[in-house]
Amino acid sequence: MRKGQYRFVAGFLVVPVALYMVFVIWPYIQTFGYSLTDWKGQSQEFSFVGLDNYTTLFKDDVFMGAIWHNILFLIFIPAITILLALFFAFMLNAGGRGRAGGVAGVAGSGFYKIVYFFPQVLSLAILAVLFGAVYRSDSGGMLNGVLIKLGLVDEGTPVEWLNEPNMVLWALMAVVVWHGVGFYLVLFSAAMQSIPRDIYEAALIDGASRAHTFFRITLPLLWDSVQTAWVYLGIAAMDMFILVTTMTSGDYGGGPDHHSEVMATVMMRNFLLYGKSGYACAMGVIMLLLTLIVSVVTLRATRRERIEF
């Protein structure tokens, strides 16, 4: 690249980089600075306390419990969502064998893609209202109504889906999975459609089963898309603020008795309700570091040799 071209490219980068530094990097730096103080959030008067907020934070049972809940989300949400999306995408693109050429999706695959993608057009706030009705703890709730009709639950003692300590996290996970499967199904479908049909047809001629076709052809060629999906779902699992605050009990959610707390809800409660803004900033810094670690570890753990066709 010639010297004049460097200047031309640099001229286009100056403004975007400056905006990124001002609106993204600088707030991170400010947050870290406030985390070293006893800032109350209502004025600019504060004292420097060093690492006291971080020391207190790791002795906070509620916050440590919230980290554990985020870890559970991090383990199960990406795994379940990706497995379901891969299965449905494979069936919609290469799961049928009745047409000419030997490889085709199941009948009506175009319609199924629209149906599966539909939850993605709904915002999380709408999902919270929708599943609030699904999980209602009386016979008017969809799940309890079905279980009562089937005789699996007594009408006088319906299931408290969002108020049972051992059940609330799984109920929240189900919402996230239901919301995300359609998007990643479309993502994986687009990647599968770029795989030449000749590869599938050759495998079928050689006697490969549907399972062998998926694990030996489809999955290796989709690995870049799977890796990307895992990172994005991991970041979503480290958040969960909207669903927890709108669907569970307590100030900013987290009920019952902190059994659905996530890091974001504890942080916002300390920031807005308790006036411990410096302490909340320390939580924000920990959330940032954990999210970065999760992203890097996921990319490293799922890295493999690129397969081309």
Side-chain angles (χ1 to χ4, degrees), residues 185-260:
L185 180 150
V186 173
L187 176 68
F188 296 149
S189 293
M192 286 180 188
Q193 289 170 4
S194 67
I195 301 175
R197 295 290 176 181
D198 296 345
I199 298 178
Y200 287 112
E201 292 168 5
L204 292 176
I205 293 173
D206 290 339
S209 65
R210 185 171 296 178
H212 279 89
T213 302
F214 176 78
F215 287 106
R216 297 299 180 88
I217 297 176
T218 304
L219 187 57
L221 294 176
L222 289 183
W223 195 252
D224 287 345
S225 298
V226 172
Q227 185 185 52
T228 302
W230 207 290
V231 172
Y232 277 102
L233 285 166
I235 293 172
M238 295 296 288
D239 182 12
M240 295 291 293
F241 176 74
I242 295 177
L243 285 182
V244 173
T245 54
T246 51
M247 293 185 65
T248 60
S249 58
D251 294 318
Y252 298 99
D257 193 25
H258 303 298
H259 281 87
S260 63

Side-chain angles (χ1 to χ4, degrees), residues 52-100:
D52 288 354
N53 286 329
Y54 294 93
T55 302
T56 304
L57 185 150
F58 287 107
K59 296 178 181 178
D60 189 335
D61 292 337
V62 174
F63 185 72
M64 298 308 294
I67 292 179
W68 171 243
H69 296 157
N70 277 112
I71 291 174
L72 290 177
F73 288 139
L74 182 63
I75 294 171
F76 289 103
I77 289 176
I80 297 172
T81 303
I82 290 174
L83 287 174
L84 288 176
L86 280 172
F87 172 76
F88 290 133
F90 181 74
M91 295 302 296
L92 294 181
N93 288 275
R97 296 191 178 187
R99 299 183 184 179

Side-chain angles (χ1 to χ4, degrees), residues 74 226-227 230-231 234 293-303:
L74 182 63
V226 172
Q227 185 185 52
W230 207 290
V231 172
I293 291 171
V294 166
S295 300
V296 172
V297 170
T298 301
L299 289 173
R300 296 282 295 181
T302 58
R303 187 174 62 179

Side-chain angles (χ1 to χ4, degrees), residues 28-37 48:
Y28 284 138
I29 296 173
Q30 282 187 310
T31 300
F32 177 72
Y34 283 129
S35 72
L36 303 176
T37 69
F48 180 78

